[in-house]
Each structure stands twice: as C-alpha cells, then as structure tokens.
C-alpha cells in the first residue's frame, strides 16, 4: 500500500521553463512534507518543506504548494536549469517529523 | 559544511555472508536513520535512533538485520546472512533535535551475488 505516490516516473522540460512535479498521498494524518533532490551516486539533498498549516512555501526558484483537501502537493521550479536534472522525492510524515514515508521519485531532465 | 559519512561506498558480497555498514552522522545530530532504497523506489525506513535508543525498528527484518548506536554517535547496520533481495542502496541520515530536515550520507551500494 503506497501512501505517497509520484505518478510520473520522469519529466522533461526545456531550460528556462517551469518544472512541475506532483505528489499525492493517501493518509490524511500526514502533516509535514519534504522534497528532496538526488543526483546519481549521492544521497538525497533536502530542498524545501511545507507544514499542513500552510498551502504554499517558497524558497528562491522552488515553490511547494499543498492542497490538503485533494491530498496533493506539487513542487514548482522556475526557471528550470540543467543543474536541476535529478530525481526528486516527495516525503510525508505524521507527528511533525517522525517516520517519513517517501514516494518513488520523479526523474527530471532539463534540456538546454 | 558538515556531512554524514558512510562506508563503504560499495560492497559486493555472496549470499549467506555477513556484511556491515557504518555511518557517522553530523556532529550534534541526535537522531539517526537507516534507510534502504531499491532501484526505482523511494527510501524505506529501516530503523530510527534517538541518541543510543531505538525509536522505530518496525520495518527492520530482525531475523537477519541488526543495528546499533552504542554511544549515541556513529552507527552500524549489519546483515547476516545476506540474501539476493538485499541488493540495494543503504542510506544513513541524521537530523538535529526538533528539526525535520534529514541530512543524508552518500549511501552504500550493496550487491549480493
């Protein structure tokens, strides 16, 4: 039973355009969400987080939107850069930071 | 910038052999996690430590896996005996008290033949 889903295994975007990565979850008890980026042969790197009391969090080129009623969050990267090419994982937690559950990841390719 | 250290980076072992992985978290990080990541999937939590105590090991296959963090600093994850299905990336992460963002090490890629 996959509690965190990332239904697009891969996504290709032109450099300078917007990248939108989606994540859906099934457990309404999740109250904290993280996005991680992973390059090959490296561990995941934290990108941005959002608490369930917010619907948007922004950090530079990265914005995360949370729609609790739809149990959906998305990561927007604007403008996309070739260095953003990586696998992006969505992770969700109950109890604010305990026991994160990760999605399967979306591979983003930003084409020059 | 402080990093989570893991060794070895790569390990090839034959099935039924024992294998061990080591993790040194960022200094001062009280919480340490071991994850397993199978290719094409997200990291799956195996065990979580708070200082030297196990907080959650519900997903750890305890018949063959063991983990310890004796002095509340570095940690070792052991598999004995290894099985073909254990081939995966084993990731260690740590976090500061009351913070949620986990800092990951580079992982150990295990191949069981």
């Amino acid at each position: 039973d996959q509690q965190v889903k990332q239904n697009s295994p891969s996504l290709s975007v032109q450099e300078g355009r917007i990248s939108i990565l989606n994540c859906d979850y099934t457990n309404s008890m999740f109250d904290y969400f993280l996005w991680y980026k992973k390059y090959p042969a490296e561990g995941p790197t934290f990108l941005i987080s959002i608490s369930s009391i917010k619907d948007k969090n922004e950090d530079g080129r990265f914005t995360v939107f949370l729609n609790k009623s739809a149990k959906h969050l998305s990561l927007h990267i604007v403008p996309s850069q070739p260095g953003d090419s990586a696998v992006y994982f969505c992770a969700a937690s109950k109890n604010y930071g305990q026991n994160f559950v990760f999605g399967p990841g979306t591979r983003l390719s930003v084409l020059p | 910038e402080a990093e989570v250290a893991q060794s070895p980076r790569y390990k090839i072992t034959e099935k039924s052999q024992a294998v061990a992985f080591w993790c040194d978290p960022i200094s001062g990080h009280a919480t340490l996690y071991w994850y397993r990541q199978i290719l094409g999937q997200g990291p799956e939590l195996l065990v979580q430590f708070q200082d030297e105590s196990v907080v959650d090991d519900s997903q750890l296959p305890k018949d063959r896996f063991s983990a310890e963090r004796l002095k509340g600093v570095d940690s070792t994850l052991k598999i004995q005996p290894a099985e073909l299905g254990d081939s995966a990336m084993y990731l260690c992460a740590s976090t500061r008290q009351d913070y949620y963002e986990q800092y990951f090490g580079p992982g150990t890629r295990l191949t069981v033949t």
Side-chain angles (χ1 to χ4, degrees), chain A residues 4 20-35 48-58 63-76 90-93 96:
Chain A
V4 179
I20 300 176
L21 296 102
N22 293 307
C23 176
D24 296 287
Y25 60 95
T26 58
N27 193 333
S28 57
M29 300 297 291
F30 287 143
D31 52 22
Y32 202 82
F33 305 88
L34 304 177
W35 283 94
I48 193 168
S49 63
I50 189 165
S51 157
S52 60
I53 63 173
K54 294 185 173 182
D55 55 17
K56 177 183 174 181
N57 191 25
E58 199 169 347
T63 303
V64 57
F65 296 91
L66 175 62
N67 182 334
K68 290 189 291 294
S69 60
K71 297 191 186 70
H72 175 84
L73 62 158
S74 60
L75 174 68
H76 293 211
C90 166
S93 166
Y96 280 94

Side-chain angles (χ1 to χ4, degrees), chain A residues 91-108:
Chain A
S93 166
K94 297 179 283 187
N95 303 321
Y96 280 94
Q98 298 300 313
N99 304 330
F100 278 98
V101 178
F102 283 77
T106 296
R107 181 176 300 279
L108 173 67

Side-chain angles (χ1 to χ4, degrees), chain B residues 43-88:
Chain B
E44 174 193 8
L45 181 68
L46 291 173
V47 61
Q48 178 184 345
F49 288 93
Q50 180 68 33
D51 298 311
E52 67 277 6
S53 300
V54 172
V55 173
D56 183 359
D57 65 356
S58 57
Q59 301 300 312
L60 189 71
K62 298 182 190 63
D63 56 338
R64 297 185 301 108
F65 286 65
S66 63
E68 60 183 17
R69 193 185 184 198
L70 292 176
K71 296 182 179 178
V73 181
D74 59 338
S75 176
T76 303
L77 177 70
K78 296 179 182 176
I79 308 175
Q80 183 174 15
E83 296 180 353
L84 294 176
D86 296 331
S87 295

Side-chain angles (χ1 to χ4, degrees), chain A residues 2 13 58 60:
Chain A
Q2 202 172 46
V13 170
E58 199 169 347

Side-chain angles (χ1 to χ4, degrees), chain B residues 91-102:
Chain B
L91 292 161
C92 178
S94 68
T95 187
R96 289 160 53 186
Q97 189 85 18
D98 298 329
Y99 280 74
Y100 313 129
E101 295 82 4
Q102 298 178 20

